[in-house]
Amino acid sequence: MTIKGNIQYSSPSNIAIIKYWGKAEGEQIPMNPSVSMTLDHCRSFTSVQYEVSKEIRPETALFFEGHRAEEVEEKTKTWLKKISSFFPWIHNSRLHIETRNNFPHSAGIASSASGMSALAMCITGIDRHVRDGQPSGPNIQSHVARLGSGSASRSVMGPWAMWGHSAINPAADNEYAVALKDIHQDFNTLCDTIIVVDNSPKSVSSRAGHALMNDHPWRFGRIAQAESNLELLFRALQKGDWPLFEQVTENEALSLHALMLASRGGMMLWKGKTVEWMHYLREQREKTGIQMAFTLDAGANIHLLYPYKEKERVTDVLEQSPVDFTDLIHDQAGPGPEKLLDDHEKH
Ligand code: DP6
């Protein structure tokens, strides 16, 4: 029997409030729990043309934005080997993968989160046809995405997801992310404007960055900090407590970069403009009382988070800024991946 088809998903990136930084022992196990908001607009669009049959020897080709991307292809093959314990048919498959992002490369938006989650959705979608069964649930989708990139585990659902074991949430798990419930309306419609100040490629991969936490002198302090910030964030998200959200969000962002700076080799990702923007935003907040908080990923660009009702006032702050930017990308909380195509035939 041969199963053939073409499946396509789009999947968003996400922005972490409680940061995943550092791994524990095991396969892609986080050092501490993390929580993120799933974005809506910034997405990867991924299609997989496939053929599965006992006679086929495995073959995978990956095209990024129309060009064969050998490095990503190799990483994808390693990931496929890893997940073939769930999906043995991978050993008898021909996969032609095409992927693109609708946001600029190196804009401070995690393309591994959107890319790996989109691919995980495609593979679990194909698996359903091969098994002729029920679709995989979010636990499996998230688990499979996690094996490709930790933060991708949180992108298969929205608008808020948590990954990593913690006593604070009995549903939370190290192997997959879970969606957070009972979120206050203000946070379910939260806006994120990404202020791009630098679009040069990252100087250090996040994989190498995570490894710096292995023997970091602050490792245990960081684990305790993430736990206590998590508890505060839960309270803020459920009650709609903006001042508490702001406090936790900026503390996590600044702590992430403090951890990097204090790492062996001193990982310094901020640019001068990153610091200028953080000062300017805090000054404006002090002056106007606008509800807005900044956060950063492992890069120089700023994610400015604010409730929808503040959109106009935030736009004024951005327009009047004496500090310039390369690009502004407007996004908001979103529901997660979307299936775009699922053609298949069996004979
Ligand atoms: C700073 O998920 O990119 O964005 O698991 O090695 O692929 P790998 O790392 P990755 O790390 C993301 C780190 C972060 C914080 C976060 O998203 O939680």
Side-chain angles (χ1 to χ4, degrees), residues 16 20-21 23 28 112 149-151 154 206-207 210 297-298:
Y20 148 51
W21 196 244
K23 303 190 190 198
Q28 281 287 78
S112 65
S149 177
S151 54
R154 300 183 309 239
S206 44
R207 197 157 293 241
H210 287 292
D297 261 346

Side-chain angles (χ1 to χ4, degrees), residues 206-227:
S206 44
R207 197 157 293 241
H210 287 292
L212 293 172
M213 288 309 295
N214 292 346
D215 57 357
H216 199 291
W218 302 348
R219 184 177 170 99
F220 296 102
R222 167 59 192 153
I223 296 171
Q225 180 195 36
E227 283 286 343

Side-chain angles (χ1 to χ4, degrees), residues 14-21 23 28 34-36 110 112-113 146 148-152 154 163 202 206-208 210 256 260 296-299:
N14 66 69
I15 177 70
I17 305 301
I18 306 292
K19 308 291 184 183
Y20 148 51
W21 196 244
K23 303 190 190 198
Q28 281 287 78
S34 58
V35 171
S36 59
S112 65
R146 177 196 114 236
S149 177
S151 54
R154 300 183 309 239
W163 169 44
K202 265 201 225 175
S206 44
R207 197 157 293 241
H210 287 292
L256 169 71
M260 293 175 190
L296 297 107
D297 261 346

